[in-house]
């Protein structure tokens, strides 16, 4: 049974999808700790409602690595094996990434390497791509950059707005994130360079 730590900043719907899959017994893991960097993140409230250990470590005004050291201290105290970023709106420091090599996952609402960053769905629409989607990847020190675990393609429709496209992509985020975490927890993943091979 792996111990999972969740980092979030906002709504927390991906966190809830991961939680649902673990509670249903689909993934051999449990949530050991939820950390928000925002005191009023709805995700933090959901975590409390589900009786997880949930804390806020405010990030405002704190230097990146100093902040990450506070977070990792809590993750270690909770014996976290795998960290899932679930709408965590901060870049991790190299130091943080080194503490959990190939043990930090992120979900991003585009088919990476297209449209990294904060406004992936809007940029996909503006670019005029016909297909976008979502990506679960290992986290490294660059934004939305590490080796890719799973992707799911979502067609862009002529009448899509940022909201409708985001909502359709989100449904698939909630499916592939638990699938990817399951692969990692079951140790069915091997990384060769940038390629993630599964068994
Ligand atoms: C999702 O679109 C995710 O892909 C991105 O941030 C958003 C978080 O949404 N990284 P939620 O907080 O999980 O609902």
């Amino acid at each position: 049974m792996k111990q999972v730590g969740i980092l979030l900043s906002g709504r927390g719907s991906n966190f809830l999808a991961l939680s649902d899959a673990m509670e249903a017994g689909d993934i051999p893991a449990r949530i050991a700790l939820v950390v928000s960097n925002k005191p009023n993140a709805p995700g933090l409230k959901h975590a409390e409602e589900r009786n997880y250990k949930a804390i806020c470590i405010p990030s405002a005004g704190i230097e990146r690595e100093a902040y990450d050291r506070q977070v990792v201290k809590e993750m270690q105290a909770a014996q976290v094996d795998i960290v899932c970023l679930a709408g965590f709106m901060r870049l991790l420091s190299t130091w943080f990434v080194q503490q959990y090599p190939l043990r930090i996952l992120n979900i991003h609402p585009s088919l990476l390497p297209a449209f990294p960053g904060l406004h992936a769905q809007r940029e996909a629409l503006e670019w005029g791509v016909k297909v976008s989607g979502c990506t679960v990847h290992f986290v490294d020190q660059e934004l939305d950059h590490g080796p890719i675990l799973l992707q799911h393609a979502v067609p862009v429709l002529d009448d899509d707005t940022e909201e409708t496209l985001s909502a359709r992509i989100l449904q698939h985020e909630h499916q592939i994130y638990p699938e990817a975490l399951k692969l990692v927890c079951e140790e069915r993943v091997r990384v060769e360079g940038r390629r993630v091979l599964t068994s």
Side-chain angles (χ1 to χ4, degrees):
M1 197 78 157
K2 301 285 186 197
Q3 304 259 99
V4 173
I6 304 277
L7 279 172
L8 54 78
S9 303
R11 186 174 56 182
S13 71
N14 277 288
F15 149 59
L16 290 176
L18 293 173
S19 162
D20 286 345
M22 283 182 254
E23 299 289 344
D26 296 341
I27 303 174
R30 60 178 289 276
I31 294 180
L33 178 65
V34 179
V35 176
S36 170
N37 67 321
K38 300 280 182 197
N40 45 16
L44 191 57
K45 219 165 148 231
H46 296 318
E48 285 160 4
E49 285 159 6
R50 292 194 176 196
N51 294 316
Y52 293 124
K53 182 173 186 219
I55 57 173
C56 177
I57 307 179
S59 56
I62 304 174
E63 185 270 325
R64 187 176 310 284
E65 191 176 310
Y67 181 78
D68 285 0
R69 283 182 185 270
Q70 291 182 34
V71 174
V72 167
K73 198 171 162 210
E74 295 293 339
M75 292 279 166
Q76 286 171 343
Q79 297 186 312
V80 164
D81 304 303
I82 296 166
V83 178
C84 289
L85 309 188
F88 186 61
M89 296 307 185
R90 285 176 63 84
L91 200 59
L92 300 188
S93 62
T94 304
W95 181 82
F96 192 140
V97 174
Q98 284 168 348
Q99 307 314 301
Y100 292 94
L102 297 177
R103 287 288 174 272
I104 310 173
L105 277 60
N106 184 40
I107 177 93
H108 182 75
S110 76
L111 293 177
L112 290 171
F115 314 119
L118 271 183
H119 306 291
Q121 302 96 329
R122 187 194 307 167
E123 287 170 13
L125 274 177
E126 284 171 358
W127 194 267
V129 295
K130 300 297 184 193
V131 179
S132 189
C134 45
T135 302
V136 182
H137 64 94
F138 285 116
V139 171
D140 62 14
Q141 35 279 81
E142 286 180 56
L143 182 66
D144 300 326
H145 178 270
I148 291 171
L149 273 147
L150 289 178
Q151 293 188 302
H152 189 93
V154 174
V156 179
L157 308 179
D158 286 354
D159 58 358
D160 260 335
T161 61
E162 188 180 353
E163 288 69 37
T164 60
L165 178 61
S166 300
R168 261 194 349 279
I169 292 174
L170 190 66
Q171 293 176 5
H172 295 284
E173 294 183 35
H174 296 164
Q175 288 172 1
I176 67 167
Y177 208 178
E179 278 173 35
L181 179 61
K182 182 179 166 79
L183 288 172
V184 173
C185 288
E186 292 178 346
E187 299 183 356
R188 288 162 55 201
V189 165
R190 188 158 55 88
V191 181
E192 287 181 7
R194 285 203 51 92
R195 298 189 71 200
V196 179
L197 309 172
T198 55
S199 55

